[in-house]
């Protein structure tokens, strides 16, 4: 993996704490101005490793995504939705996920990687519900509503779409009456 660009910001007001965050492809590390160069190097290494671990947790593998879908089906859909495959895909720019009931496959847009888990869970539940009800009718939305954070996740995705200046996928965000 390529080393990220690193920017270290020293602060005279900062006394003991060190923090870091990603800003695009760059890692910004905030440290006290009083730290030595050796301490700085140590903390930069620690904070970059911490951010990479956090990112890995937020970007599950296809296998982990399949396992999560199975757990969500059990918990919210009574185990009725049984996918044969669940995987990330890079070619979905106009939707968050898709389901092919015929071969029981679910594909989730890689644009969702790194978003909160409960949002990804919503997309999984939405696609799992298509294994029970194929369209976006009232029965379908009733299944999706079993996931307690459905409305919140739909709102999040609408806000995310607006902030990223992309059109939200309409069928995945339509309300149950539309």
């Amino acid at each position: 993996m390529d080393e990220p660009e690193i920017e270290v910001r020293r602060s005279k007001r900062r006394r003991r704490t060190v923090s870091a965050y990603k800003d695009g492809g760059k890692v910004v590390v905030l440290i006290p101005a009083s730290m030595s160069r050796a301490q700085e190097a140590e903390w930069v290494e620690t904070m970059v490793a911490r951010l990479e671990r956090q990112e890995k947790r937020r970007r599950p593998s296809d296998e982990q995504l399949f396992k999560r879908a199975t757990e969500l089906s059990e918990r919210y859909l009574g185990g009725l939705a049984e996918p044969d495959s669940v995987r990330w895909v890079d070619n979905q720019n106009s939707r968050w996920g898709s389901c092919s009931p015929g071969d029981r496959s679910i594909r989730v847009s890689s644009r969702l990687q790194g978003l909160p888990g409960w949002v990804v869970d919503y997309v999984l539940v939405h696609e799992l519900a298509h294994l029970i009800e194929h369209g976006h009718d009232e029965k379908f939305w009733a299944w999706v509503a079993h996931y307690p954070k459905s409305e919140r996740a739909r709102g999040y995705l609408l806000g995310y779409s607006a902030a990223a200046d992309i059109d939200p996928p309409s069928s995945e965000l339509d309300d149950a009456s539309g």
Side-chain angles (χ1 to χ4, degrees), residues 75-130:
R75 185 178 303 156
Y76 300 113
L77 306 174
L80 294 174
E82 297 177 0
D84 284 341
S85 71
V86 181
R87 61 188 172 92
W88 297 106
V89 294
D90 295 326
N91 64 351
Q92 287 192 357
N93 297 317
S94 63
R95 45 178 74 187
W96 300 117
S98 62
C99 175
S100 296
D103 67 4
R104 309 193 71 71
S105 66
I106 292 174
R107 291 156 310 281
V108 178
S109 174
S110 60
R111 292 182 300 152
L112 294 173
Q113 290 179 320
L115 294 188
W118 55 271
V119 175
V120 176
D121 284 354
Y122 163 75
V123 173
L124 286 170
V125 169
H126 180 108
E127 300 309 331
L128 286 164
H130 282 302

Side-chain angles (χ1 to χ4, degrees), residues 15-89:
R15 297 284 175 228
R16 295 187 306 254
T17 61
V18 176
S19 62
Y21 62 92
K22 284 195 113 172
D23 183 12
K26 175 173 49 175
V27 173
V28 179
V29 182
L30 309 169
I31 64 171
S34 61
M35 273 193 183
S36 71
R37 293 288 174 203
Q39 289 171 312
E40 174 185 316
E42 213 173 289
W43 273 108
V44 165
E45 185 178 326
T46 299
M47 298 309 283
V48 167
R50 185 176 294 169
L51 286 174
E52 285 174 357
R53 281 193 310 274
Q54 288 173 352
E55 198 164 297
K56 229 180 209 173
R57 280 195 302 269
R58 286 194 307 258
R59 297 178 187 266
S61 66
D62 286 352
E63 184 178 300
Q64 291 167 315
L65 196 63
F66 180 84
K67 183 176 185 237
R68 184 65 183 154
T70 303
E71 292 167 357
L72 291 167
S73 175
E74 287 294 325
R75 185 178 303 156
Y76 300 113
L77 306 174
L80 294 174
E82 297 177 0
D84 284 341
S85 71
V86 181
R87 61 188 172 92
W88 297 106
V89 294

